[in-house]
């Protein structure tokens, strides 16, 4: 996704246990989260500036600063579920917003599947649509798309840098109980 759902006014980058992450916000909440990018210490900031060309690199206001603290703590292994982080979902397609709301209910260390989220949405045939919505997730970590697996416990996809290896690492940081049983090189997709 090249832009966030809302009009970003600011962005900031911050160091975490997995590398430099970033966040962009509007007056209504967070519009985007950026996981670490390849290409050196300034790559994440460049990526955010590209995603949100009207935003400025500025100090985070208190609600965003609290979100940064929560994301940093989560990446250090705490069980912060980040559900208190306010998202600006204006412009997010309604189906995606419903998927993101369900994903946010999955606690750190727990997982679900694309198919289970589809069933919760009332359409068991929508697993592929769930996967597509998660691939467009502008709020990784806050909307924990890494906690959604493929059928049969397969890892499924992950669109951030590092792909499935990053997904596996995030699950391991959170202590997901099934992470040791996930296939090393993929698995069945749902």
């Amino acid at each position: 996704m090249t832009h966030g759902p809302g009009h970003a006014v600011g962005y900031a980058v911050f160091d975490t246990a997995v590398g430099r992450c970033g966040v962009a916000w509007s007056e209504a909440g967070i519009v985007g989260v950026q996981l670490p990018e390849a290409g050196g210490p300034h790559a994440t900031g460049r990526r955010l500036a590209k995603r949100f060309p009207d935003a400025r690199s500025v100090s985070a206001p208190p609600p965003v600063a609290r979100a940064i603290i929560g994301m940093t703590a989560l990446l250090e292994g705490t069980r912060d579920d980040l559900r208190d982080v306010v998202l600006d979902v204006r412009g997010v397609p309604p189906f995606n917003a419903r998927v993101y709301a369900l994903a946010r209910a999955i606690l750190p260390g727990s997982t679900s599947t694309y198919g289970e989220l589809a069933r919760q949405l009332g359409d068991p045939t929508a697993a592929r649509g769930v996967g597509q919505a998660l691939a467009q997730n502008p709020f990784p970590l806050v909307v924990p798309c890494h906690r959604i697996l493929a059928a049969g416990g397969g890892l499924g996809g992950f669109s951030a840098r590092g792909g499935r290896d990053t997904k596996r690492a995030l699950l391991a940081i959170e202590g997901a109980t099934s992470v040791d049983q996930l296939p090393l090189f993929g698995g069945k997709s749902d």
Side-chain angles (χ1 to χ4, degrees):
M1 183 171 218
T2 58
H3 55 82
H7 176 72
V9 296
Y11 72 89
V13 294
F14 54 98
D15 292 320
T16 73
V18 300
R20 184 163 279 194
C21 291
V23 62
W25 61 90
S26 72
E27 70 288 341
I30 289 179
V31 296
V33 174
Q34 185 65 50
L35 293 176
E37 287 283 305
H42 302 291
T44 299
R46 286 192 301 268
R47 176 75 169 147
L48 278 170
K50 183 177 178 182
R51 284 178 65 190
F52 304 100
D54 296 333
R56 295 175 166 220
S57 175
V58 294
S59 295
V64 176
R66 285 190 298 277
I68 290 170
I69 291 168
M71 287 184 276
T72 302
L74 179 71
L75 292 170
E76 290 173 351
T78 69
R79 295 288 181 144
D80 191 333
D81 62 25
L82 304 175
R83 286 195 267 182
D84 60 334
V85 174
V86 177
L87 300 177
D88 179 351
V89 295
R90 296 176 293 179
V92 170
F95 180 82
N96 291 23
R98 290 175 54 214
V99 170
Y100 300 161
L102 290 173
R104 289 189 84 182
I106 303 167
L107 298 175
S110 300
T111 59
S112 189
T113 66
Y114 302 111
E116 178 56 32
L117 266 61
R119 284 186 285 285
Q120 290 177 23
L121 290 168
D123 183 357
T125 65
R128 189 170 305 278
V130 167
Q132 291 169 347
L134 293 170
Q136 298 169 12
N137 176 13
F139 318 105
L141 296 180
V142 179
V143 173
C145 52
H146 61 281
R147 295 181 192 145
I148 293 85
L149 305 175
L155 197 54
F158 196 63
S159 58
R161 179 180 67 91
R164 293 174 185 208
D165 290 339
T166 298
K167 185 172 188 173
R168 181 187 309 282
L170 292 173
L171 289 168
I173 288 168
E174 293 182 0
T177 56
S178 62
V179 75
D180 293 332
Q181 297 150 350
L182 295 175
L184 183 59
F185 297 105
K188 183 180 174 191
S189 205
D190 184 34

